[in-house]
Amino acid sequence: MMFSQGYYITAELKVKDRANIRTAFESLQHLCEQTLQEPGCSIFQLHRCLHDETRFLLWERYDSEEDYHAHFQQPHTQAYLKRDLTEIVQHFASDVPEGRGNLSNATASSFG
């Protein structure tokens, strides 16, 4: 499978309260459905960790970094964040390299 260039995000999330695992999962699924309707978003996929039910990954692709930032202004994103169900463990922004072995466009950062 070939991926097109864009602004890719991989975010690891952790549920803050084990009692809210199901609620967090359902809320994230709903967020995925709504986010995929946003202009500039072509991937917003939820993954659940096989070894820790409190951990999730979001794999996202936007046409641009601006589209990514606009995602956080959307009412459905704001509503999810206000629920305060998860925290970001780590976050990676990346792109598909233009040439073989060219990894200069990839960046990684962590949220505290």
Side-chain angles (χ1 to χ4, degrees):
M1 176 180 207
M2 296 294 296
F3 293 97
S4 60
Q5 286 193 307
Y7 193 77
Y8 287 84
I9 297 293
T10 303
E12 180 183 359
L13 307 177
K14 181 176 179 166
V15 178
K16 290 183 174 184
D17 181 348
R18 292 187 75 82
N20 290 329
I21 291 171
R22 180 145 186 88
T23 301
F25 176 67
E26 290 170 356
S27 296
L28 285 165
Q29 286 182 310
H30 186 64
L31 179 66
C32 289
E33 292 167 6
Q34 293 178 312
T35 301
L36 283 169
Q37 303 304 312
E38 293 176 22
C41 180
S42 58
I43 298 172
F44 201 89
Q45 178 69 49
L46 178 65
H47 298 261
R48 188 181 345 208
C49 180
L50 295 175
H51 305 289
D52 183 349
E53 64 185 356
T54 67
R55 302 274 178 145
F56 295 95
L57 283 179
L58 282 174
W59 194 42
E60 311 165 35
R61 185 208 170 271
Y62 299 89
D63 291 338
S64 68
E65 185 174 359
E66 292 77 20
D67 291 327
Y68 166 71
H69 290 295
H71 162 67
F72 288 96
Q73 304 308 313
Q74 299 295 322
H76 53 267
T77 304
Q78 290 293 313
Y80 174 79
L81 293 172
K82 284 181 185 175
R83 296 192 74 186
D84 199 31
L85 296 167
T86 56
E87 61 188 347
I88 297 172
V89 176
Q90 56 185 334
H91 165 272
F92 301 95
S94 62
D95 193 0
V96 176
E98 287 184 41
R100 272 190 169 171
N102 178 5
L103 299 178
S104 62
N105 290 339
T107 61
S109 64
S110 294
F111 289 145

